[in-house]
Amino acid sequence: MIPGPFLLYIGDKRNPLDIKTSRGLATFRRADCIGELREADNTLTLGLPSMTAEEAVAAGARSLVLGIATSGGRLEEAMIPHVLAALDAGLDIVSGLHQHLSTEPRIRERAEALGRRLIDVRAAPEGLKVGTGAARPGRRILTVGTDCAVGKMYTSIHLADALNARGVPARFRATGQTGVLIAGDGVVIDSVIADFIAGAAEALSPAREDGVWDVIEGQGSLFNPSFAGVSLGLLHGAQPQALVMCHDPSRPHMRGLPHMQVPGIAACIEENLRSARLTSPDAEFIGVSINGSLFDAAAAQDLRARITAETGLPCVDPLVTGMDAVIDRLIARFPA
Amino acid sequence: MIPGPFLLYIGDKRNPLDIKTSRGLATFRRADCIGELREADNTLTLGLPSMTAEEAVAAGARSLVLGIATSGGRLEEAMIPHVLAALDAGLDIVSGLHQHLSTEPRIRERAEALGRRLIDVRAAPEGLKVGTGAARPGRRILTVGTDCAVGKMYTSIHLADALNARGVPARFRATGQTGVLIAGDGVVIDSVIADFIAGAAEALSPAREDGVWDVIEGQGSLFNPSFAGVSLGLLHGAQPQALVMCHDPSRPHMRGLPHMQVPGIAACIEENLRSARLTSPDAEFIGVSINGSLFDAAAAQDLRARITAETGLPCVDPLVTGMDAVIDRLIARFPA
């Protein structure tokens, strides 16, 4: 449904967190990524060849992915010439922004004139229902976090892959624009009409009795005042038996909110359990997942040990330790 | 912006909670309500003359208000002939449903052919921003509840009116389709894109230093698994200093959810305080508001006394006791 191979947009973004959708595709769908499109003076890179739209088309690309975050999810003026040039060169445009591509007249008119597709991953899906909270069969894991952008998607994908590698059947269920682009399906939960948050989560992980774990990507944080409503509705709708807490130990304050402290892991676990129990009375945590990439190996190991001592839970760093400690706990607590 | 006088639609709805938008207009904007449109065999009434669209036009009506709740907020087939007849008779159509009027081809085509307006109160507003949780000046009261449809709008309107009558300046800030129709402005918070719930609440009650209380209508309940995400985002965005808990003591279970218990008032107060403190560290409750209309006077009085004993808060029933006990507490806790 989303035409690859891709040219990934970075543009003038300087903060690695602002290109996380492009980076997610470059990481998890590397074979489908032809190159990256960035301003000449931008040192941020995905490790892909820097290309113009014309060069990408010559190399086989079929779409330009605007895999960046902007203020309020709006199209920025600096992006427009690049989008128009990509349309001219023959690419479809894929966007994870809130503002739909067709709302910009220059883009809409050029795409119509050239017969190109404009694909908004964040377009609210039709036909959603209000959630009910009624108990449903199935095995569900939800990743939650102390903040947004702390590794919930990475943890979910690595956990689903590692479960399958261990012979425990699992599938990744995407709830963000990056995850949906990687998986090719899912629902961008922060883009649904507010009344349907929990209902969308229920529809994303419907009743199943085949023993397969749905590993559901979490969003935001109950402690992030911008997005906690989304996090709570997703938590209630996902109805998880098992939870994994994700945390970025290098975060000085809540993302983009210097006035808001990052909560302690134990407090965040307690709050998520209290909230989860409304629809999943026996919900429990099976581990903590951190991103220790800004720490040296010894400091990261010490940090993981301290988190385990504080919470009584295995603490992993997916890219360093793998997921086995969390999977061992899951298997012990939830036998096949 | 919403053309009155109104003909209020009841149709075939049998549950009083399903006509609460029509009832709200009949209660708080009585002078603008010409009549009600209902199936001949329906005994539910707003106490207005039963009229056809033609009769309502002859009596001066300018719009038909679809002030009912339907499953999932969708247009029901039984409504369509009435809407078409109203368009034919000369009325504009106002809807509080999620499904927009123009998505039904028969309605869209008839309205276009006749030049009538289709007004969706629940259309998501443009230009919203993500909330920040940053402290802002102003005096804000939020009504919250043990469930949805327990009297938060009634309590908010009565409280704002009673405050003004006592010389304490206040304004009602609407967050639901009924409130927006009554007030003529506001934002239907369950209809915004999920990412913007808190931001919409911040925009609805912006910084002000004139001493006027914004009395913000709450939505849903932190304990209602269908809508808790909306309730939490609204709570964080409203950043209230003062909270009023609303409760319907006759509710046997959460509305429409036989599997979900109504929480205790004390537990619901505790959960709202814990959540509110993320953005409003000194938030406190100033009272409880119940709808005791299904109890006899002595039983209702006893119930209010028991709630006060349990919570330490004044307990009012707006239509019986008035709001003075809550206002006394507000003035004592928050001097001018």
Side-chain angles (χ1 to χ4, degrees):
Chain A
M1 87 188 186
I2 294 160
F6 310 121
L7 174 64
L8 302 177
Y9 184 82
I10 299 176
D12 61 358
K13 294 298 162 191
R14 297 313 207 251
N15 183 337
L17 290 181
D18 286 340
I19 63 165
K20 74 172 187 170
T21 295
S22 287
R23 185 177 300 281
L25 281 169
T27 301
F28 292 104
R29 289 188 62 180
R30 190 76 177 186
D32 294 320
C33 297
I34 297 278
E36 60 188 41
L37 177 64
R38 55 182 164 82
E39 301 294 345
D41 63 341
N42 190 353
T43 55
L44 210 57
T45 179
L46 303 167
L48 292 165
S50 176
M51 290 186 180
T52 65
E54 291 80 3
E55 291 164 345
V57 169
R62 292 178 58 208
S63 60
L64 173 67
V65 178
L66 302 177
I68 61 167
T70 65
S71 175
R74 287 187 290 277
L75 282 161
E76 293 173 345
E77 189 58 33
M79 303 165 65
I80 309 287
H82 292 296
V83 171
L84 297 177
L87 290 167
D88 288 340
L91 296 172
D92 293 333
I93 311 296
V94 180
S95 169
L97 300 172
H98 273 301
Q99 185 185 348
H100 293 182
L101 291 162
S102 63
T103 63
E104 166 53 48
R106 288 168 288 177
I107 293 174
R108 183 181 64 243
E109 288 160 15
R110 191 72 60 94
E112 280 174 3
L114 295 169
R116 308 274 185 261
R117 292 170 63 195
L118 301 177
I119 299 170
D120 291 293
V121 178
R122 257 176 164 160
E126 301 284 318
L128 290 175
K129 293 180 178 164
V130 167
T132 68
R136 65 186 187 278
R139 315 189 97 186
R140 290 174 298 275
I141 301 168
L142 176 69
T143 53
V144 297
T146 52
D147 195 4
C148 51
V150 293
K152 292 182 284 285
M153 186 195 76
Y154 272 63
T155 298
S156 301
I157 294 175
H158 282 290
L159 180 54
D161 287 350
L163 281 166
N164 284 309
R166 292 266 300 259
V168 181
R171 62 170 188 169
F172 168 59
R173 302 304 292 144
T175 63
Q177 67 272 23
T178 310
V180 168
L181 280 167
I182 292 168
D185 71 350
V187 60
V188 183
I189 197 105
D190 68 11
S191 300
V192 307
I193 296 292
D195 235 7
F196 301 114
I197 302 170
E202 292 179 0
L204 181 73
S205 56
R208 63 189 306 170
E209 309 202 48
D210 57 6
V212 176
W213 283 97
D214 275 340
V215 182
I216 304 165
E217 178 192 3
Q219 292 295 329
S221 167
L222 293 179
F223 288 85
N224 185 311
S226 308
F227 309 116
V230 174
S231 307
L232 184 63
L234 175 54
L235 180 57
H236 285 162
Q239 219 176 86
Q241 292 91 357
L243 292 151
V244 177
M245 176 60 63
C246 301
H247 178 65
D248 178 351
S250 69
R251 192 71 52 92
H253 52 70
M254 297 301 268
R255 184 172 181 221
L257 304 173
H259 54 285
M260 298 297 300
Q261 282 192 308
V262 179
I265 292 176
C268 198
I269 285 175
E270 187 188 337
E271 187 67 21
N272 274 276
L273 282 180
R274 180 170 31 240
S275 298
R277 285 175 178 151
L278 185 69
T279 60
S280 185
D282 300 320
E284 62 178 83
F285 275 82
I286 56 165
V288 178
S289 175
I290 69 164
N291 171 1
S293 58
L294 296 182
F295 294 77
D296 68 36
Q301 187 172 20
D302 180 58
L303 184 63
R304 294 195 301 272
R306 276 193 285 127
I307 289 170
T308 291
E310 183 193 5
T311 63
L313 295 168
C315 180
V316 296
D317 186 334
L319 300 181
V320 177
T321 67
M323 303 300 297
D324 276 337
V326 169
I327 293 175
D328 291 343
R329 173 108 177 184
L330 182 75
I331 292 171
R333 300 291 303 166
F334 301 92
Chain B
M1 86 191 187
I2 295 160
F6 310 122
L7 174 63
L8 302 177
Y9 184 82
I10 299 175
D12 60 359
K13 294 298 162 192
R14 298 314 209 249
N15 183 336
L17 290 180
D18 286 340
I19 62 166
K20 75 173 188 170
T21 295
S22 287
R23 185 177 300 284
L25 281 168
T27 301
F28 292 104
R29 290 186 63 179
R30 190 76 177 186
D32 293 320
C33 298
I34 297 277
E36 61 188 40
L37 178 64
R38 54 181 165 84
E39 302 295 344
D41 63 342
N42 190 353
T43 54
L44 211 57
T45 178
L46 302 167
L48 292 164
S50 176
M51 289 186 180
T52 65
E54 291 78 4
E55 290 165 347
V57 169
R62 292 179 57 208
S63 60
L64 173 68
V65 179
L66 303 177
I68 62 167
T70 65
S71 176
R74 286 186 292 276
L75 282 162
E76 293 173 344
E77 189 57 33
M79 303 165 66
I80 309 286
H82 292 295
V83 171
L84 298 177
L87 290 166
D88 288 340
L91 296 172
D92 293 332
I93 311 296
V94 180
S95 169
L97 299 172
H98 273 302
Q99 185 185 348
H100 293 183
L101 291 162
S102 63
T103 62
E104 165 52 49
R106 289 169 287 178
I107 294 175
R108 184 181 63 244
E109 287 161 16
R110 191 74 59 96
E112 280 174 3
L114 295 169
R116 307 275 184 260
R117 292 171 62 197
L118 301 178
I119 300 170
D120 291 295
V121 178
R122 257 176 164 159
E126 301 284 320
L128 290 175
K129 293 181 179 166
V130 166
T132 69
R136 64 185 187 278
R139 314 190 98 187
R140 291 175 297 274
I141 301 167
L142 176 69
T143 52
V144 296
T146 52
D147 194 4
C148 51
V150 293
K152 291 183 284 285
M153 187 196 77
Y154 273 64
T155 298
S156 301
I157 294 175
H158 282 291
L159 180 55
D161 287 350
L163 281 166
N164 283 309
R166 291 266 299 258
V168 181
R171 62 170 188 169
F172 168 60
R173 303 302 293 142
T175 64
Q177 67 273 22
T178 310
V180 169
L181 280 167
I182 291 168
D185 72 350
V187 60
V188 183
I189 199 106
D190 67 12
S191 301
V192 307
I193 296 292
D195 235 5
F196 301 115
I197 302 170
E202 292 179 1
L204 181 72
S205 56
R208 63 190 308 172
E209 309 203 47
D210 57 7
V212 177
W213 283 96
D214 274 341
V215 182
I216 304 165
E217 179 191 3
Q219 292 295 329
S221 167
L222 293 179
F223 288 85
N224 185 311
S226 309
F227 310 116
V230 174
S231 307
L232 184 63
L234 175 54
L235 180 57
H236 286 162
Q239 220 175 85
Q241 292 91 358
L243 292 151
V244 177
M245 176 60 62
C246 301
H247 178 65
D248 177 351
S250 69
R251 192 71 53 93
H253 52 69
M254 297 300 269
R255 181 168 184 226
L257 305 173
H259 54 285
M260 298 297 300
Q261 283 192 306
V262 179
I265 292 175
C268 198
I269 284 175
E270 186 188 339
E271 187 68 20
N272 273 277
L273 282 179
R274 179 167 35 240
S275 298
R277 285 175 179 151
L278 185 69
T279 60
S280 186
D282 300 320
E284 62 178 82
F285 275 83
I286 55 166
V288 178
S289 175
I290 68 166
N291 171 1
S293 58
L294 296 182
F295 294 76
D296 68 36
Q301 186 172 22
D302 180 58
L303 183 63
R304 294 195 300 273
R306 278 192 286 128
I307 290 170
T308 290
E310 183 193 5
T311 63
L313 295 169
C315 181
V316 296
D317 186 334
L319 300 181
V320 177
T321 66
M323 302 301 296
D324 275 337
V326 169
I327 293 175
D328 290 343
R329 173 108 177 184
L330 181 75
I331 292 171
R333 300 290 305 165
F334 302 92

